[in-house]
Structure formats: structure tokens, C-alpha cells
Amino acid sequence: MQTETDVPVKATRVSFDVVEVLQELDGAGVTEVASELDLPRSTVHDHLRTLEELELVVNEDGNYKTGTRFLEFGGYARKRMKVFEVAKPELQKLAEQTGEHSNLMVEEHGRGVFLYKTEGENAVKLDTYNGYRVHLQTTALGKAMMAHMDEERVHDILDRHGMPGITDRTVTDEERLFEEFEAIRERGYAIDREERVRGMRCIAAPLLDDDEILGAISVSGPKNRMQGERFEEEIPRQVLRIANVIEVNMTHA
């Protein structure tokens, strides 16, 4: 986490902190935001008014919420990523074939970002959405990417963001994590056994272009359907096949 001395323009940092609080609280008033950030009410009010003038937040009778203009920025950022355009139709096929969630994740600033997700007919409801960010080591997608990073890069990410335990199954030990990386590289895919969401399992494969990590794709579903031969052979085979198709198509897109 950045400190005030890390950020050249403190006012920009404060505005961003305000936006993050609005998102975390699903909307809030001036007093509530000021309390969360331990800032003067007048300071928070000025930042919120500025953000409102820029159409970045909306004011509903004193309750401020993040606005859809952020969607414009995120949509543009995603559209310019070739991996999204190439992977999207293949992930739709994967969701149809498995009936579960299929996902595309990229790494940015040491975090995992869900760039695209689509649902098959049997998919359960999850908290993820396009743009949702996670600690890399808490997901199969993130571990699939980390397994192919330089060791120094992995240490930098862990030093910056830590290894929080989201569930009692999350990998929080660095030595164990690196041991898992070896297994991921050997079999070609990563496994998540209820490490971010209780009751959910996931199979993920990295998207690689020589030494470049383009992202990772996955299939996730409830553990009662993700077990036995389906979890150990069928789903991994489907994920690896689609990952290979995306990698090949990336070279010609």
C-alpha cells in the first residue's frame, strides 16, 4: 500500500481514497466518508463536489456513489487489449461447453484483474465482475500467471500486497506457494480448491507468448460439480485446449 510520501500529488491520492470508500460502502454521505478516512468534513465535501462536477460520482440526496463514467474509462482500457478481443469468443464457447463460469484475468500493478467473465447455463452467482481485482495468490488464475513470472517479480508482488487469507484454504505461506508453482508448470494448469470462495473450485491455464504472460483463463464452479474425473481430467483438458487456441489466435490477430 502506498504511503503519502510515495504519492507526488496528495490531493489526487485523497480523491482516489474517497472513490474507494464510496465503492467499499456502496455509497456514503460526507460525514461517513470523512470518518472512514479520518479527514475533515470540509475536505471530503470539496473532493466529492469536484468529483461530482467531473461526473465521476453521483449525488442522490446527500448519498454519493461512484458514477458510470468509470465504466467508460474501464471499457476503453479493456477494448484496447488484444487478449480480450481474442479470448472473448473462446471463453463464451467454454462456458457453453461446461455450463460453468469462464474467466479471463490479467495482471496489473501486482493484482489480478477480471477482464472478462461469462456464465454457462448452470453457473452459480458470484461476487466477481469485469474489473474486479484480487490478490493473485488467492485464485487459480493468479497462481497460473505467477508460476511463469520471474522469482524476483513474484517476491516484489508479495512484498507489496501481502498474502491475505481470504478463506481457511487460501495459500498464505510463501514456501508452499513456490512449491505449487512447480506443480503448475509441470501439469500446465493451476487449481483453486475453495481458496477465495468457500464451496467453489477452479481450473486455470496461463496464456503465454514465449516469455510474455498475456493473462490466464479458467473455469470455476461449485465443488459438488467440480470433482472426480470432471475436475481432474475433463475440465483441465477443455481449459488447456481453449488456452492453446487463444495463444495461436493471438499471433495472427
Side-chain angles (χ1 to χ4, degrees):
M1 185 175 186
Q2 288 180 317
T3 64
E4 290 184 3
T5 55
D6 294 326
V7 184
V9 182
K10 184 180 177 181
T12 304
R13 171 81 263 180
V14 173
S15 286
F16 188 76
D17 287 343
V18 168
V19 170
E20 284 194 317
V21 168
L22 293 181
Q23 180 174 328
E24 291 168 4
L25 300 180
D26 197 22
V30 175
T31 301
E32 193 173 5
V33 175
S35 176
E36 286 287 324
L37 295 176
D38 194 23
L39 291 171
R41 191 178 184 280
S42 58
T43 299
V44 170
H45 181 263
D46 289 344
H47 281 274
L48 284 170
R49 284 294 304 276
T50 302
L51 290 166
E52 184 183 4
E53 287 294 322
L54 294 171
E55 301 179 1
L56 293 169
V57 304
V58 292
N59 180 1
E60 299 177 351
D61 297 324
N63 187 54
Y64 291 87
K65 296 182 177 181
T66 54
T68 55
R69 193 171 185 197
F70 286 106
L71 185 61
E72 177 186 351
F73 298 143
Y76 168 76
R78 186 175 73 166
K79 188 171 179 58
R80 67 179 173 79
M81 293 184 178
K82 186 168 71 170
V83 67
F84 163 69
E85 297 291 344
V86 173
K88 180 179 177 180
E90 300 304 326
L91 289 175
Q92 290 171 338
K93 295 175 188 175
L94 188 58
E96 291 174 6
Q97 292 166 3
T98 63
E100 309 289 0
H101 284 269
S102 65
N103 312 280
L104 168 66
M105 180 179 284
V106 295
E107 178 268 323
E108 190 173 86
H109 298 294
R111 300 270 195 174
V113 183
F114 281 87
L115 202 62
Y116 180 69
K117 64 187 293 288
T118 186
E119 301 174 358
E121 62 179 358
N122 299 319
V124 298
K125 298 298 180 184
L126 292 174
D127 60 341
T128 53
Y129 50 82
N130 295 331
Y132 190 78
R133 301 196 311 161
V134 297
H135 286 79
L136 287 168
Q137 107 286 354
T138 66
T139 67
L141 289 154
K143 291 188 292 182
M145 291 188 286
M146 294 178 87
H148 294 275
M149 294 178 182
D150 291 336
E151 186 171 326
E152 184 179 353
R153 172 66 174 146
V154 174
H155 283 300
D156 287 343
I157 290 172
L158 297 180
D159 289 344
R160 179 178 180 183
H161 297 295
M163 299 180 67
I166 309 302
T167 74
D168 59 357
R169 294 176 179 269
T170 309
V171 179
T172 57
D173 178 77
E174 192 170 306
E175 184 177 349
R176 180 186 159 196
L177 183 63
F178 275 90
E179 289 174 355
E180 192 165 340
F181 291 162
E182 293 182 15
I184 292 169
R185 289 190 291 267
E186 182 176 339
R187 64 175 173 251
Y189 61 89
I191 297 173
D192 169 357
R193 292 184 173 90
E194 304 179 70
E195 293 165 40
R196 198 189 71 82
V197 178
R198 292 291 297 177
M200 294 293 293
R201 289 180 171 180
C202 183
I203 298 290
L207 301 175
L208 306 172
D209 181 11
D210 293 328
D211 294 330
E212 183 182 2
I213 303 167
L214 307 174
I217 64 167
S218 74
V219 166
S220 55
K223 66 178 182 179
N224 69 318
R225 292 201 298 260
M226 299 282 279
Q227 59 180 323
E229 184 179 345
R230 186 171 193 253
F231 184 64
E232 296 170 5
E233 296 182 24
E234 181 183 335
I235 296 294
R237 184 166 57 248
Q238 290 173 295
V239 171
L240 288 169
R241 178 177 58 81
I242 292 296
N244 181 238
V245 170
I246 294 170
E247 289 173 341
V248 172
N249 287 342
M250 283 289 290
T251 63
H252 303 290

Coordinates of all heavy atoms in Angstrom, one line a residue, residues 1-30:
M1 N 0.8 -1.2 0.0 CA 0.0 0.0 0.0 C 0.9 1.2 0.0 O 1.8 1.3 0.7 CB -0.9 0.0 1.2 CG -1.9 1.1 1.3 SD -3.1 1.0 2.6 CE -4.2 2.3 2.3
Q2 N 0.5 2.2 -0.8 CA 1.3 3.4 -0.9 C 1.1 4.3 0.3 O 0.0 4.4 0.8 CB 1.0 4.2 -2.2 CG 1.5 3.5 -3.5 CD 1.1 4.3 -4.7 OE1 0.0 4.8 -4.8 NE2 2.1 4.4 -5.6
T3 N 2.2 5.0 0.7 CA 2.1 6.0 1.8 C 2.0 7.4 1.1 O 2.2 7.5 -0.1 CB 3.3 5.9 2.7 OG1 4.5 6.3 1.9 CG2 3.5 4.5 3.3
E4 N 1.7 8.4 2.0 CA 1.6 9.7 1.4 C 2.9 10.2 0.8 O 2.8 10.9 -0.2 CB 1.2 10.7 2.6 CG -0.3 10.5 3.0 CD -0.7 11.5 4.1 OE1 0.2 12.4 4.4 OE2 -1.8 11.4 4.6
T5 N 4.0 9.7 1.3 CA 5.3 10.2 0.8 C 5.6 9.5 -0.6 O 6.4 10.0 -1.3 CB 6.5 9.8 1.7 OG1 6.4 8.4 2.0 CG2 6.3 10.6 3.0
D6 N 4.9 8.4 -0.9 CA 5.0 7.8 -2.2 C 4.3 8.5 -3.3 O 4.6 8.3 -4.5 CB 4.5 6.3 -2.1 CG 5.3 5.5 -1.2 OD1 6.6 5.7 -1.1 OD2 4.8 4.6 -0.6
V7 N 3.3 9.3 -3.0 CA 2.4 9.9 -3.9 C 2.8 11.4 -4.1 O 2.7 12.2 -3.2 CB 0.9 9.8 -3.5 CG1 0.0 10.4 -4.6 CG2 0.6 8.3 -3.2
P8 N 3.2 11.8 -5.4 CA 3.6 13.2 -5.6 C 2.5 14.2 -5.3 O 2.8 15.3 -4.8 CB 4.0 13.2 -7.1 CG 4.3 11.7 -7.4 CD 3.4 10.9 -6.5
V9 N 1.3 13.9 -5.7 CA 0.2 14.9 -5.6 C -0.8 14.3 -4.5 O -1.6 13.4 -4.8 CB -0.5 15.2 -6.9 CG1 -1.6 16.2 -6.7 CG2 0.5 15.6 -7.9
K10 N -0.7 14.8 -3.3 CA -1.5 14.3 -2.2 C -3.0 14.4 -2.5 O -3.8 13.6 -2.2 CB -1.2 15.0 -0.9 CG -1.9 14.5 0.3 CD -1.5 15.2 1.5 CE -2.3 14.7 2.7 NZ -2.0 15.4 4.0
A11 N -3.4 15.6 -3.2 CA -4.9 15.8 -3.4 C -5.4 14.7 -4.3 O -6.6 14.2 -4.1 CB -5.1 17.1 -4.1
T12 N -4.6 14.2 -5.3 CA -5.1 13.1 -6.2 C -5.3 11.9 -5.4 O -6.3 11.1 -5.6 CB -4.1 12.9 -7.3 OG1 -3.9 14.1 -8.0 CG2 -4.6 11.9 -8.3
R13 N -4.4 11.6 -4.4 CA -4.5 10.4 -3.6 C -5.7 10.5 -2.7 O -6.4 9.5 -2.6 CB -3.2 10.4 -2.7 CG -3.3 9.3 -1.6 CD -2.9 8.0 -2.0 NE -4.1 7.2 -2.3 CZ -4.0 5.9 -2.8 NH1 -2.8 5.4 -3.1 NH2 -5.1 5.2 -3.0
V14 N -6.0 11.7 -2.2 CA -7.2 11.8 -1.4 C -8.5 11.6 -2.2 O -9.4 10.9 -1.8 CB -7.3 13.2 -0.7 CG1 -8.6 13.4 0.0 CG2 -6.1 13.3 0.3
S15 N -8.5 12.1 -3.4 CA -9.7 11.9 -4.2 C -9.9 10.5 -4.5 O -11.1 9.9 -4.5 CB -9.6 12.7 -5.6 OG -9.8 14.1 -5.3
F16 N -8.8 9.8 -4.8 CA -8.9 8.3 -5.1 C -9.4 7.6 -3.9 O -10.2 6.6 -4.0 CB -7.6 7.8 -5.6 CG -7.7 6.4 -6.1 CD1 -8.3 6.1 -7.3 CD2 -7.2 5.3 -5.3 CE1 -8.4 4.8 -7.8 CE2 -7.3 4.0 -5.8 CZ -7.9 3.8 -7.0
D17 N -8.9 7.9 -2.7 CA -9.3 7.3 -1.5 C -10.8 7.5 -1.2 O -11.5 6.6 -0.8 CB -8.5 7.9 -0.3 CG -7.1 7.4 -0.2 OD1 -6.7 6.4 -0.9 OD2 -6.3 8.1 0.5
V18 N -11.3 8.7 -1.6 CA -12.7 9.0 -1.4 C -13.5 8.0 -2.3 O -14.5 7.4 -1.9 CB -13.0 10.4 -1.8 CG1 -14.5 10.7 -1.9 CG2 -12.5 11.3 -0.7
V19 N -13.1 7.9 -3.6 CA -13.8 7.0 -4.5 C -13.8 5.6 -4.0 O -14.8 4.8 -4.1 CB -13.1 7.1 -5.9 CG1 -13.7 6.0 -6.8 CG2 -13.4 8.5 -6.5
E20 N -12.6 5.1 -3.5 CA -12.5 3.7 -3.0 C -13.5 3.5 -1.8 O -14.1 2.4 -1.7 CB -11.1 3.4 -2.5 CG -10.1 3.2 -3.7 CD -8.8 2.5 -3.2 OE1 -8.3 3.0 -2.2 OE2 -8.3 1.6 -3.9
V21 N -13.6 4.5 -0.9 CA -14.5 4.4 0.2 C -16.0 4.3 -0.3 O -16.8 3.5 0.2 CB -14.4 5.5 1.2 CG1 -15.5 5.6 2.2 CG2 -13.0 5.4 1.9
L22 N -16.3 5.1 -1.3 CA -17.7 5.0 -1.8 C -18.0 3.7 -2.4 O -19.1 3.2 -2.3 CB -17.8 6.1 -2.9 CG -17.8 7.6 -2.5 CD1 -18.0 8.5 -3.7 CD2 -18.8 7.9 -1.4
Q23 N -17.0 3.1 -3.0 CA -17.2 1.7 -3.6 C -17.3 0.7 -2.5 O -18.2 -0.2 -2.5 CB -16.0 1.4 -4.5 CG -16.2 0.0 -5.1 CD -15.1 -0.3 -6.2 OE1 -14.6 0.6 -6.8 NE2 -14.7 -1.6 -6.3
E24 N -16.4 0.8 -1.5 CA -16.4 -0.2 -0.4 C -17.8 -0.2 0.4 O -18.3 -1.2 0.8 CB -15.3 0.0 0.5 CG -13.9 -0.3 -0.1 CD -12.8 0.2 0.8 OE1 -13.0 0.8 1.9 OE2 -11.6 0.1 0.3
L25 N -18.3 1.1 0.6 CA -19.5 1.2 1.4 C -20.8 1.2 0.5 O -21.9 1.3 1.1 CB -19.4 2.6 2.2 CG -18.3 2.7 3.1 CD1 -18.4 4.1 3.8 CD2 -18.3 1.6 4.2
D26 N -20.6 1.0 -0.8 CA -21.7 1.1 -1.7 C -22.5 2.3 -1.6 O -23.8 2.4 -1.6 CB -22.6 -0.2 -1.4 CG -23.6 -0.4 -2.6 OD1 -23.3 0.0 -3.7 OD2 -24.6 -1.0 -2.4
G27 N -21.8 3.5 -1.5 CA -22.4 4.8 -1.4 C -22.3 5.3 0.1 O -22.4 4.5 1.0
A28 N -22.1 6.6 0.2 CA -22.0 7.1 1.6 C -22.2 8.6 1.5 O -22.0 9.3 0.5 CB -20.6 6.8 2.2
G29 N -22.4 9.2 2.7 CA -22.5 10.7 2.8 C -21.2 11.2 3.2 O -20.2 10.5 3.5
V30 N -21.1 12.6 3.2 CA -19.9 13.3 3.5 C -19.3 12.9 4.9 O -18.1 12.5 5.0 CB -20.1 14.8 3.5 CG1 -18.8 15.5 3.9 CG2 -20.5 15.2 2.1

